[in-house]
């Protein structure tokens, strides 16, 4: 079965954008939940995808393991009666860690997250893990390309879905879209819960053979596009993205697993 259509959705509006009084439900640092407005956006997407013809709807959702992405995927999965697969390969983008500050956080496994989201099907093993040391801009693009070259053939050969959805974060959404259309310089800003829709126009290499029907479309939302972000917003110093501190106390942790893990499936 050929994957014919891919939807890419950014998570909804985050609670930490409007309040400092929030808890990381899973205990993971830097993992804020959605604000009430973000939850409303996700509910609207669920209703929207239920309203389109059945032959256009996704039949599987692959979500970043961060709580806000799983919260966004949940009402869509419930509306359509489909499963959510946790995939670290479409997780958050962090710039490289500053020296001697530790590592960036990494969410738990699908099984550990299923206690919060019963929609998760833990039979899917994540096929890619970003480095906890962070990534330069070129590296997050390379991650998207490597991930998609592994994901699409597996979905076609094993999972057998013709239409899938990826729920991710702004930077990752942009790099995924750019990889699929084959343009690393594609101008794109992505708002919360916006929808990018791509259709395949020819067979062959999974990358560069997709046409964007719409990019970061906020029309399914009553509030339209909000909190849009693009790579032009990153802070640059001496030609490179500014490095961020890691999580204190992780200085002695090992950065594993990293990269493709196809052999583990």
């Amino acid at each position: 079965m050929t994957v014919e259509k891919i939807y890419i959705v950014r998570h909804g509006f985050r609670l930490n954008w409007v309040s400092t009084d929030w808890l990381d439900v899973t205990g993971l640092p830097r993992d804020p939940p959605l604000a009430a407005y973000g939850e409303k956006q996700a509910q609207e997407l669920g209703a929207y995808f239920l309203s389109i013809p059945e032959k256009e709807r996704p039949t599987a959702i692959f979500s970043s393991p961060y709580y806000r992405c799983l919260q966004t995927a949940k009402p869509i999965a419930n509306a359509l009666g489909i499963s959510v697969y946790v995939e670290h390969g479409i997780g958050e983008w962090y710039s490289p860690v500053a020296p001697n500050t530790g590592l960036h956080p990494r969410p738990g496994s699908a099984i550990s997250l299923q206690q919060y989201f019963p929609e998760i099907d833990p039979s899917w093993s994540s096929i890619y893990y970003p480095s906890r040391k962070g990534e330069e801009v070129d590296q997050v693009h390379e991650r998207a390309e490597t991930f998609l070259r592994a994901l699409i053939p597996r979905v076609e050969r094993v999972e057998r879905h013709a239409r899938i959805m990826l729920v991710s974060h702004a930077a990752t959404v942009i790099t995924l879209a750019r990889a699929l259309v084959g343009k690393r310089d594609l101008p794109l800003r992505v708002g919360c819960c916006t929808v990018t829709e791509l259709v395949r126009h020819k067979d062959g290499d999974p990358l560069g053979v997709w046409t964007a029907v719409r990019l970061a479309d906020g029309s399914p939302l009553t509030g339209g596009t909000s909190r849009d972000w693009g790579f032009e917003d990153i802070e640059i110093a001496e030609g490179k993205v500014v490095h961020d501190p890691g999580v204190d106390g992780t200085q002695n942790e090992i950065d594993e697993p990293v990269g493709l893990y196809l052999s583990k499936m």
Side-chain angles (χ1 to χ4, degrees):
M1 178 177 290
T2 300
V3 176
E4 301 169 349
K5 185 185 291 284
I6 297 178
Y7 295 99
I8 313 176
V9 169
R10 185 189 177 192
H11 63 74
F13 203 93
R14 292 162 48 161
L15 180 57
N16 67 312
W17 290 336
V18 295
S19 173
T20 57
D21 185 20
W22 60 272
L23 296 174
D24 8 353
V25 179
T26 65
L28 182 76
R30 306 176 189 171
D31 191 17
L34 297 180
Y37 180 54
E39 293 184 64
K40 178 176 180 286
Q41 290 176 315
Q43 292 287 346
E44 288 180 340
L45 281 192
Y48 166 72
F49 279 102
L50 185 61
S51 75
I52 67 176
E54 186 173 359
K55 65 181 180 179
E56 298 294 321
R57 300 173 192 165
T59 57
I61 299 174
F62 294 85
S63 174
S64 160
Y66 283 84
Y67 198 83
R68 57 192 177 275
C69 288
L70 291 166
Q71 277 186 291
T72 302
K74 179 183 176 72
I76 304 171
N78 287 337
L80 301 183
I82 60 179
S83 295
V84 175
Y85 299 120
V86 172
E87 178 49 63
H88 286 253
I90 54 175
E92 179 68 285
W93 171 57
Y94 292 109
S95 61
V97 289
N100 304 313
T101 63
L103 301 171
H104 291 303
R106 171 168 287 158
S109 66
I111 291 176
S112 70
L113 292 167
Q114 195 181 30
Q115 64 182 301
Y116 309 104
F117 300 98
E119 298 80 9
I120 291 173
D121 181 345
S123 67
W124 175 267
S125 295
S126 202
I127 65 174
Y128 193 100
Y129 290 87
S131 171
R132 293 181 63 194
K133 296 177 182 178
E135 301 161 304
E136 297 286 357
V137 172
D138 283 348
Q139 290 174 317
V140 69
H141 282 83
E142 290 163 7
R143 187 226 302 184
E145 292 163 3
T146 301
F147 166 73
L148 288 166
R149 280 200 168 102
L151 174 75
I152 293 171
R154 175 168 172 79
V155 170
E156 293 177 337
R157 185 179 65 254
V158 181
E159 307 300 330
R160 302 186 66 78
H161 293 284
R163 301 173 304 280
I164 63 173
M165 175 182 289
L166 310 178
V167 180
S168 189
H169 312 260
T172 319
V173 168
I174 293 170
T175 59
L176 291 167
R178 287 175 170 178
L180 289 167
V181 301
K183 295 180 180 179
R184 274 203 188 187
D185 60 351
L186 177 73
L188 184 56
R189 297 185 63 83
V190 181
C192 293
C193 273
T194 54
V195 178
T196 292
E197 179 182 354
L198 304 109
V199 294
R200 196 170 194 157
H201 61 254
K202 66 178 179 179
D203 295 330
D205 189 320
L207 305 188
V209 297
W210 298 79
T211 299
V213 176
R214 49 183 167 161
L215 291 168
D217 177 20
S219 65
L221 308 170
T222 55
T225 300
S226 62
R227 196 82 183 201
D228 64 320
W229 185 93
F231 275 101
E232 59 270 25
D233 295 329
I234 62 178
E235 188 176 354
I236 299 290
E238 297 180 357
K240 290 189 176 183
V241 61
V242 171
H243 293 190
D244 287 329
V247 175
D248 189 37
T250 63
Q251 285 84 347
N252 295 321
E253 293 183 8
I254 299 173
D255 183 26
E256 292 181 352
V258 174
L260 277 178
Y261 266 68
L262 292 174
S263 60
K264 302 286 186 179
M265 297 190 297

